[in-house]
Amino acid sequence: MNSDEPEKVCSLFGKGVFLHQGNIRKVCRSEVYAVNKETLKFISLVLNGVVSVMALAVAPTMAAEAGQSEIDALREQIRSLEMRLNEIQAKQEATTAIAKSEPDAVEVKLNNGRPVFSTSDGNFEMGLRGRVHYDIGTYFQDDNNLPAIAPGRDLSAGSNFRRAQLGVEGKFMRDWGYRLEFNFGGSGTESGGAIKDAILSYTGIKPLKIEIGAMQPPMTMDDTTSSNDTTFIERGAAANLATSFAGGEARSSMGVRGNGNNFYASLFYTMGVVGDGGVDEQSALVGRTAYRFALSPDSNIHVGASATRVFEFNQGPAGPVFTLQDRPELRLDATRLVSTGVINAENAQVFGPELAGNWKNFYAQGEYYHYQIDRPGAVADADFDAWYVQASYILTGESKPYDMNNAVYGSPKPGAPLGDGGMGAIELAARYSVTDLDDNASSAACPASSVTILNPGTTSSCIRGGEQQIVTLGVNWYPNRNIRFMLNYLLADIDRRAYSNTAVAGGGPNVQIGQDYQALALRTQFNW
């Protein structure tokens, strides 16, 4: 087919077709439909019959007004249409024959901007994937009254590539899949490149997907949501803390996940993070389940739960230890303002519910998690909590699609992209999150470790990790499906006390080392 043939056929049928992989497909709209040979014959017969009936119906009038010549011209147009359809059908059959005779022939296509190479028989496929998240922002804080011991007295404003990920994914012999992806970004500063995903999967037992390698095992709704689709620049602290036990990126894992029309479940055995080292890697189970109530095509309710059981923590030189901490929902500066410090730990449990829903262009989501760390000897076990609620409203009317494969919500797809007669999609969002990493912190005798003044004493059950509350307001603009701009304004309130044996030079016993501040950040994001 010549390069101008789709336009000609578009003008003929009002929609348009072109030859691709042995099918005739509609291209004058964004959607694509296959048309087989029987359909072509049917179109020919219908056109011929309709025009013939029209000719018979208007023949007396036409004969009176214009004569037989106009009827002949109309019939000639029908014959031209038939010849055109026969030509398209012949080329379709030729292409199908080539595909059958050359199953290893390579076809290249763009899938939402992503180059994908595949064989004509569909057995092999490889796609290039990538994402770039570039953040720039500043903090508004007053550290005049903060003691020297306080973390984050002068948070660093500026910019960094939070994510710069490149990789490939594809399949072997239809049922075997793979993904290899590296991240060159980071929190506060970029890295020289590290493994994010290195996964081999098998999908031959429907509807299950078996995976092994380095990955981000499903744990919490927020963390399972792709970083390309999260409503805010950073996920809520509750989810980050929950995944820090045995989930998160580049976690050595093996497990299975699967879903039906409304039900989702996953279970993974996990070990350490790639590059962490240690004498003996930790071992844990991470599970997640969810059910979706589909009320209507654009309304859903999600109910789920996530849980982690750590059987043994990573063994370091001083035995099994763990630190529960997180950055304040923005990573221009890598400082953690709430942290338990290093504590000895035997095992741990994390569990909590997920609840979310959308009604047309309104969406809401929330999660609560309880973290329990079992400590050795006579030291009391430690218990902590965190939760968040968030909501958004899309001004331009689009809705967040529900992805049943992962039981999460995705980004809205602009109904009228910028440059295609519209301005894209605009979303307003708000989140409130609470984190409590204090345990038995009110005790007057709450000594710090002799090693580090922000770590609790080894034999002390008093932990002063701090309480954190953050309100985040956001505006997201989606010019098209591959680009997003996110503007976040944060109001943070951290309440944290130093330990009772803090030296006067550091601020004195039990001094306040928390702070209130605001932050403003802009993310520029593109992916393929």
Side-chain angles (χ1 to χ4, degrees):
M1 184 181 295
N2 297 329
S3 59
D4 60 340
E5 285 183 358
E7 296 183 2
K8 293 180 181 178
V9 183
C10 282
S11 63
L12 179 62
F13 294 104
K15 296 291 185 182
V17 297
F18 74 101
L19 193 65
H20 178 75
Q21 282 190 289
N23 291 311
I24 305 302
R25 298 194 177 186
K26 186 184 297 182
V27 296
C28 291
R29 301 285 185 186
S30 59
E31 59 267 34
V32 179
Y33 302 93
V35 181
N36 57 28
K37 291 187 285 188
E38 287 73 16
T39 305
L40 291 174
K41 292 179 181 178
F42 178 73
I43 292 173
S44 175
L45 290 173
V46 170
L47 287 173
N48 195 22
V50 170
V51 177
S52 296
V53 171
M54 291 175 58
L56 290 173
V58 302
T61 303
M62 293 180 62
E65 295 180 357
Q68 187 64 33
S69 61
E70 294 190 13
I71 296 178
D72 293 340
L74 190 59
R75 292 187 180 278
E76 182 62 30
Q77 292 181 18
I78 294 297
R79 283 193 291 271
S80 177
L81 288 177
E82 291 178 337
M83 293 176 61
R84 197 75 176 134
L85 289 173
N86 289 336
E87 180 184 351
I88 292 172
Q89 181 177 334
K91 291 185 177 181
Q92 175 186 2
E93 292 173 347
T95 303
T96 302
I98 292 174
K100 290 181 178 179
S101 63
E102 300 180 13
D104 293 332
V106 177
E107 174 185 304
V108 182
K109 60 183 178 181
L110 285 177
N111 182 7
N112 192 29
R114 177 185 302 170
V116 178
F117 305 85
S118 59
T119 55
S120 9
D121 60 5
N123 280 334
F124 298 91
E125 183 177 287
M126 183 185 74
L128 305 180
R129 56 183 291 123
R131 70 187 67 183
V132 175
H133 298 173
Y134 175 66
D135 296 344
I136 182 171
T138 188
Y139 298 90
F140 306 99
Q141 59 181 151
D142 182 4
D143 66 348
N144 291 334
N145 297 321
L146 287 177
I149 192 180
R153 296 176 71 246
D154 184 15
L155 297 171
S156 300
S159 64
N160 80 301
F161 284 93
R162 176 68 173 87
R163 295 178 182 88
Q165 298 174 2
L166 295 172
V168 295
E169 66 176 348
K171 62 182 179 181
F172 309 112
M173 297 304 295
R174 296 183 183 272
D175 293 333
W176 293 93
Y178 65 90
R179 179 190 297 176
L180 179 61
E181 191 165 347
F182 293 85
N183 184 22
F184 298 89
S187 299
T189 183
E190 294 77 19
S191 70
I195 293 175
K196 176 185 176 289
D197 292 318
I199 311 169
L200 179 67
S201 62
Y202 180 71
T203 57
I205 308 173
K206 305 299 182 184
L208 303 179
K209 183 179 183 181
I210 303 169
E211 298 175 288
I212 185 170
M215 67 189 77
Q216 189 170 339
M219 174 64 189
T220 82
M221 188 176 189
D222 209 11
D223 192 67
T224 306
T225 303
S226 167
S227 60
N228 287 328
D229 297 325
T230 54
T231 305
F232 298 90
I233 289 178
E234 295 294 343
R235 298 179 174 94
N240 290 334
L241 292 169
T243 59
S244 68
F245 283 82
E249 295 179 354
R251 178 74 66 173
S252 295
S253 312
M254 61 182 73
V256 61
R257 70 177 83 192
N259 67 278
N261 292 332
N262 294 293
F263 179 75
Y264 167 92
S266 63
L267 183 64
F268 282 78
Y269 175 77
T270 73
M271 293 164 280
V273 174
V274 174
D276 265 6
V279 178
D280 292 309
E281 284 192 305
Q282 75 168 48
S283 60
L285 278 179
V286 176
R288 181 171 180 256
T289 186
Y291 190 85
R292 186 267 304 260
F293 297 90
L295 306 180
S296 69
D298 56 2
S299 299
N300 304 275
I301 293 178
H302 166 105
V303 178
S306 292
T308 292
R309 167 65 176 176
V310 180
F311 302 110
E312 183 181 21
F313 282 100
N314 204 39
Q315 296 277 342
V321 294
F322 184 69
T323 303
L324 186 60
Q325 59 185 357
D326 189 42
R327 301 171 182 88
E329 297 179 0
L330 186 63
R331 301 198 175 190
L332 291 170
D333 189 294
T335 305
R336 279 95 165 181
L337 301 184
V338 290
S339 173
T340 62
V342 180
I343 58 177
N344 52 354
E346 284 190 329
N347 50 63
Q349 296 76 231
V350 181
F351 50 88
E354 313 167 359
L355 182 62
N358 75 297
W359 182 70
K360 297 183 179 180
N361 52 335
F362 174 78
Y363 143 87
Q365 176 176 315
E367 297 181 85
Y368 164 85
Y369 288 100
H370 180 74
Y371 320 99
Q372 180 179 332
I373 301 176
D374 300 331
R375 305 181 69 188
V379 183
D381 297 339
D383 293 272
F384 311 101
D385 301 273
W387 57 274
Y388 74 90
V389 290
Q390 63 187 40
S392 78
Y393 184 82
I394 303 172
L395 297 177
T396 45
E398 294 86 351
S399 61
K400 284 179 175 286
Y402 189 85
D403 174 16
M404 197 64 242
N405 291 330
N406 296 296
V408 297
Y409 284 94
S411 294
K413 305 301 186 292
L418 184 67
D420 192 22
M423 60 181 296
I426 298 177
E427 178 182 27
L428 302 181
R431 177 177 65 198
Y432 177 60
S433 73
V434 176
T435 302
D436 184 357
L437 297 187
D438 283 343
D439 189 53
N440 195 30
S442 61
S443 172
C446 191
S449 164
S450 59
V451 178
T452 307
I453 54 179
L454 289 181
N455 286 348
T458 304
T459 59
S460 172
S461 60
C462 172
I463 299 174
R464 291 181 173 177
E467 297 180 6
Q468 173 180 279
Q469 300 181 57
I470 300 179
V471 175
T472 305
L473 306 176
V475 180
N476 301 325
W477 177 38
Y478 307 80
N480 54 53
R481 295 181 64 181
N482 300 91
I483 299 174
R484 176 169 68 163
F485 296 94
M486 310 174 73
L487 183 65
N488 283 188
Y489 179 69
L490 289 78
L491 298 95
D493 179 6
I494 294 90
D495 181 11
R496 185 179 179 188
R497 294 283 176 178
Y499 288 98
S500 58
N501 59 344
T502 301
V504 175
N510 307 313
V511 66
Q512 175 64 246
I513 58 175
Q515 60 177 302
D516 300 337
Y517 70 91
Q518 297 83 46
L520 183 66
L522 172 69
R523 168 169 292 177
T524 300
Q525 168 185 315
F526 58 95
N527 63 85
W528 63 93

